[in-house]
Amino acid sequence: MPVFEAMTVLSPSAALLTKTLQPKITTNHQTPIFLNKSTAKLESNKIISICSPQLSNTKASAISGSPGIEAGSGLVSEDTTNILDTVEVFDLNGNAIPISDLWKDRKTVVAFARHFGCVLCRRRADYLAAKKDVMDASGVALVLIGPGSVDQAKTFSEQTKFKGEVYADPSHSSYKALQFVSGVSTTFTPKAGLKIIQSYMEGYRQDWKLSFEEDTVAKGGWQQGGIIVAGPGKTNISYIHKDKEAGDDPDIEDIIKACC
C-alpha cells in the first residue's frame, strides 16, 4: 500500500498537506490483498517513519481501556450527561433524535466512528457486530454514530451491512460532549499505521468518496471516537472507552462484560 495512501486513510485532511491525489473510489469488503513477509515489513517500516508522534507536540489526553464507571463517579460528569441530553443525532430517514433517547429505555452499546469513510471504523463495526447475538440475547442494542451527514450514514450502512442502528451527528456535538480526542498526534501513530495494513490485508477498504467530502476533510479528518455502554436511564453511562489514537479498539470482552 503506497505511503501517501496510508496517510490519507488515517486522515483525509492529510491530503491538504501534500499534492492532490485522485483516489480510486472503493467500498468496504472486496477481494483481500496479501503481502508476503518482506513486503509487509517494508510497508510497516514506511508507515512508522511517517506516523511519528513527533508530528505534534500536543500529547493526547484520553481514557482508554476503562473497566466502566458509573456516570456519577467522576469519569462522566453530571455536566457531560446534561450536555448529552441536549444533543441530537439523525436516523437514516433524517429524523432528529435526542441522543440520550438511544439508551433511555434500554441498555445500548454505542460506537462512535472517526468518520463514515474510515477503514478502521468499518473494521470496528464488524468487530462489534460479531457479538450482536450475545447482545441480542441480553436485550442490548447496538448503535454506531458517525460525524457526518445522513447521506454519508446511509452509504456506510448500505456498504457495510452493519447489523446495528446507524445515526449521523453532523455537528459533532456528541463527540464534543464526551470530549473525544482530536488532532494530528492522535491520528498519525505507528500503531495506527500497522492497523491500516492489517485491515487492508483482511479485505477492508477506505471509502475515498466519503473520506474526501468537504465536511469530512474540514472537520472529521483528525477526529477520534470511542465506545460507551449506557442505559437504561438517560444518565446511566456504565462504561466508556475513549480512543487514544486511530484504531484503538478496546478488548471486546470488556464491552461484553459491561453490557451483558
Side-chain angles (χ1 to χ4, degrees):
M1 181 170 52
V3 173
F4 180 79
E5 182 175 349
M7 293 178 67
T8 51
V9 164
L10 284 168
S11 173
S13 303
L16 303 178
L17 303 178
T18 185
K19 66 180 181 180
T20 301
L21 174 71
Q22 297 298 324
K24 179 180 178 182
I25 299 171
T26 57
T27 55
N28 187 26
H29 269 88
Q30 293 184 357
T31 304
I33 57 173
F34 298 95
L35 305 179
N36 60 42
K37 290 183 179 179
S38 60
T39 304
K41 183 176 180 180
L42 176 61
E43 292 296 330
S44 299
N45 290 337
K46 289 179 180 179
I47 297 296
I48 290 171
S49 70
I50 66 169
C51 293
S52 169
Q54 294 177 352
L55 281 169
S56 171
N57 292 324
T58 303
K59 187 174 182 180
S61 176
I63 299 170
S64 181
S66 163
I69 299 180
E70 295 295 331
S73 63
L75 180 58
V76 181
S77 68
E78 183 178 350
D79 285 345
T80 296
T81 56
N82 288 340
I83 293 171
L84 280 172
D85 202 32
T86 69
V87 171
E88 289 186 332
V89 293
F90 295 83
D91 66 18
L92 298 184
N93 294 317
N95 300 312
I97 299 170
I99 192 172
S100 56
D101 280 6
L102 298 178
W103 58 78
K104 179 178 66 174
D105 300 317
R106 61 184 182 176
K107 182 167 283 190
T108 308
V109 174
V110 187
F112 294 83
R114 293 186 59 244
H115 59 81
F116 284 118
C118 172
V119 64
L120 297 174
C121 300
R122 290 158 184 257
R123 188 170 184 263
R124 173 173 286 184
D126 277 355
Y127 136 100
L128 290 171
K131 293 292 185 178
K132 191 168 187 302
D133 57 339
V134 178
M135 297 180 197
D136 288 344
S138 299
V140 176
L142 176 59
V143 166
L144 184 141
I145 295 173
S149 68
V150 171
D151 285 342
Q152 288 176 315
K154 285 181 180 178
T155 300
F156 175 90
S157 181
E158 291 167 358
Q159 290 177 347
T160 63
K161 310 299 182 187
F162 181 60
K163 297 177 182 178
E165 303 167 21
V166 180
Y167 297 86
D169 180 2
S171 66
H172 300 201
S173 296
S174 60
Y175 291 74
K176 295 173 185 174
L178 288 164
Q179 299 180 342
F180 289 135
V181 299
S182 179
V184 175
S185 65
T186 68
T187 303
F188 294 114
T189 71
K191 285 184 179 179
L194 293 174
K195 286 183 179 180
I196 295 269
I197 293 174
Q198 181 182 359
S199 297
Y200 265 66
M201 291 177 69
E202 292 174 358
Y204 293 93
R205 294 294 181 271
Q206 185 96 350
D207 185 298
W208 293 107
K209 184 174 185 296
L210 291 180
S211 300
F212 278 85
E213 287 187 3
E214 182 178 354
D215 181 68
T216 303
V217 173
K219 296 196 299 182
W222 311 117
Q223 181 66 58
Q224 307 307 323
I227 297 173
I228 68 171
V229 176
K234 287 188 174 184
T235 63
N236 180 21
I237 297 178
S238 54
Y239 171 94
I240 183 167
H241 169 90
K242 296 183 179 182
D243 294 345
K244 293 183 294 185
E245 60 190 1
D248 180 26
D249 293 323
D251 188 326
I252 189 66
E253 293 305 320
D254 288 343
I255 299 170
I256 295 303
K257 288 176 183 177
C259 73
C260 304

